[in-house]
Amino acid sequence: MKRPAFLVEGDLEQLFIQLVCPGQPVRKINCNGDKVLLTEIAKRVGTLARLLHKRHDPIIVVLDREKREQSSIEMENELLGHLKNEDIHSDVIIGVPDREIENWILADYESFCKSCGRTDFLMKKKFEGKNGKSHVKQLLTSDATYIETIHGVKWLKASRPHVMIWRRCWR
């Protein structure tokens, strides 16, 4: 039976997936930023997917929307369209946080508050489409710092998927 492989943009995503899916390959795409064309990302994903497809299925891609104008869903659909030209023989699943992976952390606001030591659990804002990383930093107490590869991984792991999905669907 084949197992999944992951293709990600950044260190936080790579460390998180290595933590929750030990033993599965997690490769960085090395095409990071909102100025990188989706055609270029598709070529890189295609290359990596062709290297992994004999032993891994599905190929799961996680990349941030960042400051792109198109929605996460439009970005996902466009990337899937470009990937049709890449001769990939595995299923491809794409996840696009709207704007950054920190938005997924903030989608479970109660868990975020508990993880970082805040005591106010009532969600005060909607973070979808906002700069999640800056909101995380603003929400921390004055003596706290945010280190993406330490706190981000821990807080994302503490987030509850069923709450994150509910917040996204019912915002």
Side-chain angles (χ1 to χ4, degrees), residues 11-20 101-102 104-106 108-118 136 140 144-161 164:
D11 294 324
L12 186 160
E13 295 89 345
Q14 186 178 42
L15 292 170
F16 170 73
I17 293 170
Q18 288 171 336
L19 179 69
V20 297
I101 200 75
E102 284 81 3
W104 284 3
I105 294 168
L106 292 170
D108 185 356
Y109 191 70
E110 181 180 343
S111 178
F112 167 73
C113 288
K114 287 179 182 177
S115 295
C116 71
R118 289 185 63 100
V136 165
L140 295 176
T145 58
Y146 174 60
I147 301 170
E148 188 175 324
T149 56
I150 297 171
H151 303 108
V153 172
K154 177 182 168 188
W155 297 342
L156 185 58
K157 185 172 189 271
S159 298
R160 300 165 294 177
M164 295 161 64

Side-chain angles (χ1 to χ4, degrees), residues 18-169:
Q18 288 171 336
L19 179 69
V20 297
C21 301
Q24 304 299 31
V26 184
R27 308 281 188 268
K28 288 196 345 191
I29 298 169
N30 292 324
C31 291
N32 200 355
D34 53 3
K35 302 288 186 230
V36 179
L37 298 174
L38 290 179
T39 53
E40 295 303 314
I41 293 173
K43 288 178 187 175
R44 182 70 178 143
V45 167
T47 298
L48 293 169
R50 285 189 298 278
L51 293 171
L52 294 166
H53 83 268
K54 289 187 180 177
R55 295 186 324 187
H56 299 281
D57 190 0
I59 305 295
I60 301 169
V61 181
V62 179
L63 53 126
D64 296 336
R65 178 177 158 230
E66 298 185 26
K67 296 178 184 174
R68 296 175 194 269
E69 291 296 318
Q70 61 198 148
S71 72
S72 295
I73 293 169
E74 291 168 340
M75 189 173 159
E76 177 184 334
N77 289 335
E78 182 180 337
L79 185 57
L80 284 170
H82 294 306
L83 288 174
K84 289 179 181 178
N85 302 323
E86 291 298 321
D87 195 34
I88 299 172
H89 300 288
S90 296
D91 288 330
V92 176
I93 299 169
I94 299 176
V96 181
D98 190 6
R99 296 235 177 238
E100 301 161 334
I101 200 75
E102 284 81 3
N103 294 76
W104 284 3
I105 294 168
L106 292 170
D108 185 356
Y109 191 70
E110 181 180 343
S111 178
F112 167 73
C113 288
K114 287 179 182 177
S115 295
C116 71
R118 289 185 63 100
T119 56
D120 55 332
F121 297 143
L122 296 177
M123 185 164 178
K124 296 183 171 41
K125 294 183 179 180
K126 295 178 182 175
F127 299 103
E128 189 82 11
K130 309 282 190 217
N131 183 329
K133 194 175 296 185
S134 70
H135 281 286
V136 165
K137 291 175 182 178
Q138 289 171 4
L139 291 166
L140 295 176
T141 57
S142 60
D143 61 334
T145 58
Y146 174 60
I147 301 170
E148 188 175 324
T149 56
I150 297 171
H151 303 108
V153 172
K154 177 182 168 188
W155 297 342
L156 185 58
K157 185 172 189 271
S159 298
R160 300 165 294 177
H162 70 280
V163 174
M164 295 161 64
I165 291 168
W166 183 86
R167 290 257 196 272
R168 181 179 168 97
C169 294

